[in-house]
Short mmCIF file of all heavy atoms in Angstrom, two decimals:
data_model
loop_
_atom_site.label_atom_id
_atom_site.label_comp_id
_atom_site.label_asym_id
_atom_site.label_seq_id
_atom_site.Cartn_x
_atom_site.Cartn_y
_atom_site.Cartn_z
N GLY A 100 -72.86 28.64 -7.38
CA GLY A 100 -71.49 29.12 -7.14
C GLY A 100 -71.33 30.57 -7.55
O GLY A 100 -71.70 31.46 -6.81
N GLY A 102 -68.28 31.72 -9.08
CA GLY A 102 -66.86 32.04 -9.27
C GLY A 102 -66.42 31.60 -10.66
O GLY A 102 -67.23 31.38 -11.57
N ILE A 103 -65.10 31.46 -10.82
CA ILE A 103 -64.55 31.12 -12.13
C ILE A 103 -65.07 29.77 -12.62
O ILE A 103 -65.36 29.60 -13.81
CB ILE A 103 -63.00 31.14 -12.09
CG1 ILE A 103 -62.39 30.84 -13.46
CG2 ILE A 103 -62.41 30.19 -11.08
CD1 ILE A 103 -62.38 31.99 -14.37
N ALA A 104 -65.22 28.80 -11.73
CA ALA A 104 -65.67 27.47 -12.16
C ALA A 104 -67.08 27.55 -12.74
O ALA A 104 -67.38 26.97 -13.79
CB ALA A 104 -65.62 26.48 -10.99
N ALA A 126 -73.80 33.57 -4.33
CA ALA A 126 -74.02 34.16 -3.00
C ALA A 126 -73.60 35.62 -2.94
O ALA A 126 -74.21 36.43 -2.23
CB ALA A 126 -73.24 33.35 -1.96
N GLU A 127 -72.56 35.97 -3.71
CA GLU A 127 -72.05 37.35 -3.61
C GLU A 127 -72.88 38.29 -4.47
O GLU A 127 -73.46 37.88 -5.48
CB GLU A 127 -70.58 37.39 -4.03
CG GLU A 127 -69.68 36.71 -3.02
CD GLU A 127 -68.21 36.80 -3.40
OE1 GLU A 127 -67.66 37.90 -3.40
OE2 GLU A 127 -67.63 35.75 -3.72
N ARG A 134 -60.33 35.79 -8.64
CA ARG A 134 -59.67 35.96 -7.33
C ARG A 134 -58.16 36.18 -7.38
O ARG A 134 -57.64 36.90 -6.52
CB ARG A 134 -59.97 34.75 -6.43
CG ARG A 134 -61.43 34.67 -6.12
CD ARG A 134 -61.83 33.69 -5.07
NE ARG A 134 -63.26 33.45 -5.24
CZ ARG A 134 -64.21 34.21 -4.76
NH1 ARG A 134 -63.93 35.25 -4.02
NH2 ARG A 134 -65.49 33.94 -4.99
N PRO A 135 -57.41 35.58 -8.33
CA PRO A 135 -55.94 35.75 -8.25
C PRO A 135 -55.47 37.20 -8.11
O PRO A 135 -54.54 37.45 -7.32
CB PRO A 135 -55.45 35.07 -9.54
CG PRO A 135 -56.42 33.96 -9.73
CD PRO A 135 -57.76 34.56 -9.34
N SER A 138 -54.75 39.15 -4.28
CA SER A 138 -53.57 39.15 -3.40
C SER A 138 -52.39 39.86 -4.05
O SER A 138 -51.30 39.89 -3.48
CB SER A 138 -53.18 37.70 -3.08
OG SER A 138 -53.13 36.92 -4.25
N LYS A 139 -52.62 40.37 -5.26
CA LYS A 139 -51.49 40.95 -6.02
C LYS A 139 -51.85 42.39 -6.40
O LYS A 139 -51.83 43.28 -5.55
CB LYS A 139 -51.22 40.06 -7.24
CG LYS A 139 -51.09 38.57 -6.87
CD LYS A 139 -51.11 37.67 -8.07
CE LYS A 139 -51.09 36.20 -7.72
NZ LYS A 139 -52.38 35.59 -7.46
N ARG A 169 -77.84 35.44 -3.69
CA ARG A 169 -78.75 34.36 -3.24
C ARG A 169 -77.88 33.19 -2.78
O ARG A 169 -77.02 32.73 -3.52
CB ARG A 169 -79.65 33.81 -4.34
CG ARG A 169 -80.33 34.74 -5.28
CD ARG A 169 -81.50 35.49 -4.79
NE ARG A 169 -82.53 35.59 -5.79
CZ ARG A 169 -82.49 36.39 -6.86
NH1 ARG A 169 -81.45 37.13 -7.11
NH2 ARG A 169 -83.52 36.43 -7.69
N HIS A 170 -78.15 32.71 -1.59
CA HIS A 170 -77.45 31.52 -1.08
C HIS A 170 -78.30 30.28 -1.33
O HIS A 170 -79.49 30.30 -0.99
CB HIS A 170 -77.26 31.63 0.43
CG HIS A 170 -76.06 32.41 0.83
ND1 HIS A 170 -76.05 33.77 0.89
CD2 HIS A 170 -74.81 32.00 1.19
CE1 HIS A 170 -74.86 34.19 1.27
NE2 HIS A 170 -74.09 33.13 1.46
N ALA A 171 -77.68 29.24 -1.86
CA ALA A 171 -78.36 27.94 -1.87
C ALA A 171 -78.36 27.45 -0.43
O ALA A 171 -77.32 27.49 0.24
CB ALA A 171 -77.62 26.97 -2.76
N ALA A 197 -70.55 24.34 -7.53
CA ALA A 197 -69.33 25.14 -7.80
C ALA A 197 -69.18 26.20 -6.71
O ALA A 197 -68.92 27.36 -6.99
CB ALA A 197 -69.43 25.78 -9.18
N THR A 198 -69.38 25.77 -5.45
CA THR A 198 -69.43 26.74 -4.35
C THR A 198 -68.06 27.07 -3.76
O THR A 198 -67.97 27.82 -2.78
CB THR A 198 -70.40 26.27 -3.24
OG1 THR A 198 -70.27 24.86 -3.06
CG2 THR A 198 -71.83 26.58 -3.62
N GLY A 199 -67.00 26.51 -4.34
CA GLY A 199 -65.65 26.95 -3.95
C GLY A 199 -65.29 26.63 -2.51
O GLY A 199 -65.73 25.63 -1.93
N ARG A 217 -60.36 36.37 0.75
CA ARG A 217 -61.03 35.49 -0.21
C ARG A 217 -61.87 36.29 -1.21
O ARG A 217 -61.92 35.98 -2.38
CB ARG A 217 -61.95 34.51 0.54
CG ARG A 217 -62.65 33.49 -0.33
CD ARG A 217 -61.74 32.33 -0.68
NE ARG A 217 -62.19 31.62 -1.86
CZ ARG A 217 -61.49 30.67 -2.46
NH1 ARG A 217 -60.33 30.29 -1.99
NH2 ARG A 217 -61.94 30.09 -3.55
N LEU A 244 -50.87 31.55 -0.61
CA LEU A 244 -51.55 32.83 -0.38
C LEU A 244 -50.81 33.67 0.66
O LEU A 244 -50.61 34.88 0.46
CB LEU A 244 -53.01 32.58 0.06
CG LEU A 244 -53.85 33.83 0.25
CD1 LEU A 244 -53.93 34.64 -1.04
CD2 LEU A 244 -55.26 33.46 0.72
N GLU A 247 -47.81 35.20 -0.94
CA GLU A 247 -48.15 36.30 -1.87
C GLU A 247 -48.46 37.57 -1.09
O GLU A 247 -48.05 38.67 -1.46
CB GLU A 247 -49.36 35.92 -2.73
CG GLU A 247 -49.00 34.95 -3.82
CD GLU A 247 -50.08 34.82 -4.89
OE1 GLU A 247 -51.18 35.39 -4.72
OE2 GLU A 247 -49.81 34.13 -5.89
N TRP A 336 -74.45 23.84 2.60
CA TRP A 336 -75.81 23.73 2.02
C TRP A 336 -76.11 22.32 1.52
O TRP A 336 -77.26 22.02 1.20
CB TRP A 336 -75.96 24.74 0.87
CG TRP A 336 -75.07 24.47 -0.31
CD1 TRP A 336 -73.73 24.68 -0.40
CD2 TRP A 336 -75.48 23.94 -1.58
NE1 TRP A 336 -73.27 24.31 -1.65
CE2 TRP A 336 -74.32 23.87 -2.39
CE3 TRP A 336 -76.69 23.53 -2.12
CZ2 TRP A 336 -74.34 23.39 -3.71
CZ3 TRP A 336 -76.72 23.06 -3.43
CH2 TRP A 336 -75.56 22.99 -4.20
N GLY A 365 -64.21 22.76 -9.54
CA GLY A 365 -63.50 23.84 -8.86
C GLY A 365 -63.03 23.45 -7.47
O GLY A 365 -62.86 22.26 -7.15
N ASP A 366 -62.83 24.45 -6.62
CA ASP A 366 -62.24 24.25 -5.29
C ASP A 366 -63.02 23.27 -4.41
O ASP A 366 -62.46 22.68 -3.49
CB ASP A 366 -62.20 25.58 -4.53
CG ASP A 366 -61.01 26.42 -4.89
OD1 ASP A 366 -60.39 26.17 -5.93
OD2 ASP A 366 -60.69 27.37 -4.13
N GLU A 381 -57.02 23.62 -5.04
CA GLU A 381 -57.48 25.01 -5.03
C GLU A 381 -56.65 25.79 -6.02
O GLU A 381 -55.86 26.65 -5.65
CB GLU A 381 -57.37 25.58 -3.61
CG GLU A 381 -58.31 24.92 -2.65
CD GLU A 381 -58.02 25.30 -1.21
OE1 GLU A 381 -57.23 26.24 -0.97
OE2 GLU A 381 -58.57 24.64 -0.32
N HIS A 382 -56.79 25.43 -7.29
CA HIS A 382 -56.01 26.05 -8.35
C HIS A 382 -56.97 26.63 -9.39
O HIS A 382 -57.90 25.95 -9.82
CB HIS A 382 -55.11 25.04 -9.06
CG HIS A 382 -54.11 24.36 -8.17
ND1 HIS A 382 -53.40 23.27 -8.58
CD2 HIS A 382 -53.70 24.64 -6.92
CE1 HIS A 382 -52.58 22.89 -7.61
NE2 HIS A 382 -52.75 23.71 -6.59
N TRP A 383 -56.68 27.82 -9.82
CA TRP A 383 -57.51 28.51 -10.81
C TRP A 383 -57.68 27.68 -12.06
O TRP A 383 -58.78 27.54 -12.59
CB TRP A 383 -56.82 29.84 -11.12
CG TRP A 383 -57.58 30.79 -11.96
CD1 TRP A 383 -58.43 31.77 -11.53
CD2 TRP A 383 -57.54 30.89 -13.39
NE1 TRP A 383 -58.92 32.47 -12.60
CE2 TRP A 383 -58.38 31.96 -13.75
CE3 TRP A 383 -56.87 30.20 -14.39
CZ2 TRP A 383 -58.57 32.34 -15.07
CZ3 TRP A 383 -57.06 30.58 -15.72
CH2 TRP A 383 -57.91 31.63 -16.03
N VAL A 415 -50.39 25.20 -11.08
CA VAL A 415 -50.64 26.38 -10.26
C VAL A 415 -49.51 27.38 -10.50
O VAL A 415 -48.36 26.99 -10.72
CB VAL A 415 -50.77 26.01 -8.76
CG1 VAL A 415 -49.50 25.40 -8.21
CG2 VAL A 415 -51.19 27.21 -7.93
N TRP A 416 -49.88 28.65 -10.50
CA TRP A 416 -48.85 29.68 -10.57
C TRP A 416 -49.02 30.62 -9.39
O TRP A 416 -50.09 30.68 -8.76
CB TRP A 416 -48.95 30.46 -11.89
CG TRP A 416 -49.91 31.61 -11.80
CD1 TRP A 416 -49.62 32.89 -11.45
CD2 TRP A 416 -51.33 31.57 -12.01
NE1 TRP A 416 -50.78 33.65 -11.44
CE2 TRP A 416 -51.84 32.87 -11.77
CE3 TRP A 416 -52.23 30.55 -12.36
CZ2 TRP A 416 -53.18 33.17 -11.89
CZ3 TRP A 416 -53.57 30.86 -12.47
CH2 TRP A 416 -54.03 32.15 -12.24
C1 LIG B 24 -56.64 35.86 -3.02
C2 LIG B 24 -56.52 34.64 -3.88
C3 LIG B 24 -55.49 34.55 -4.81
C4 LIG B 24 -55.36 33.42 -5.61
N1 LIG B 24 -54.33 33.33 -6.51
C5 LIG B 24 -54.18 32.23 -7.27
C6 LIG B 24 -53.08 32.11 -8.18
O1 LIG B 24 -52.24 32.99 -8.29
N2 LIG B 24 -52.99 30.97 -8.91
C7 LIG B 24 -53.90 29.95 -8.82
O2 LIG B 24 -53.76 28.91 -9.51
N3 LIG B 24 -54.96 30.04 -7.96
C8 LIG B 24 -55.11 31.15 -7.19
N4 LIG B 24 -56.16 31.24 -6.32
C9 LIG B 24 -57.13 30.14 -6.24
C10 LIG B 24 -58.25 30.31 -7.28
O3 LIG B 24 -58.69 31.64 -7.32
C11 LIG B 24 -59.38 29.36 -6.91
O4 LIG B 24 -58.90 28.06 -7.12
C12 LIG B 24 -60.62 29.62 -7.75
O5 LIG B 24 -61.16 30.89 -7.46
C13 LIG B 24 -61.68 28.55 -7.47
O6 LIG B 24 -62.82 28.86 -8.19
P1 LIG B 24 -64.26 28.30 -7.75
O7 LIG B 24 -65.21 28.89 -8.74
O8 LIG B 24 -64.18 26.84 -7.57
O9 LIG B 24 -64.52 28.89 -6.30
P2 LIG B 24 -64.71 30.42 -5.80
O10 LIG B 24 -63.86 31.34 -6.59
O11 LIG B 24 -64.52 30.35 -4.31
O12 LIG B 24 -66.22 30.72 -6.12
C14 LIG B 24 -67.26 30.08 -5.43
C15 LIG B 24 -68.42 31.03 -5.30
O13 LIG B 24 -69.52 30.32 -4.76
C16 LIG B 24 -70.22 31.14 -3.86
N5 LIG B 24 -70.99 30.32 -2.92
C17 LIG B 24 -70.53 29.62 -1.86
N6 LIG B 24 -71.54 29.00 -1.23
C18 LIG B 24 -72.67 29.32 -1.91
C19 LIG B 24 -74.04 28.98 -1.75
N7 LIG B 24 -74.47 28.18 -0.76
N8 LIG B 24 -74.94 29.49 -2.64
C20 LIG B 24 -74.54 30.29 -3.67
N9 LIG B 24 -73.24 30.62 -3.87
C21 LIG B 24 -72.32 30.14 -3.00
C22 LIG B 24 -69.12 31.93 -3.17
O14 LIG B 24 -69.62 33.10 -2.59
C23 LIG B 24 -68.15 32.18 -4.33
O15 LIG B 24 -68.39 33.42 -4.94
C24 LIG B 24 -56.31 32.37 -5.49
C25 LIG B 24 -57.34 32.46 -4.55
C26 LIG B 24 -57.44 33.58 -3.75
C27 LIG B 24 -58.56 33.66 -2.73
#
Side-chain angles (χ1 to χ4, degrees):
I103 182 80
E127 290 182 67
R134 295 190 199 277
S138 48
K139 310 168 184 86
R169 316 285 219 285
H170 276 82
T198 40
R217 183 80 201 172
L244 184 59
E247 285 194 353
W336 65 286
D366 278 17
E381 293 170 11
H382 300 168
W383 188 91
V415 62
W416 86 91

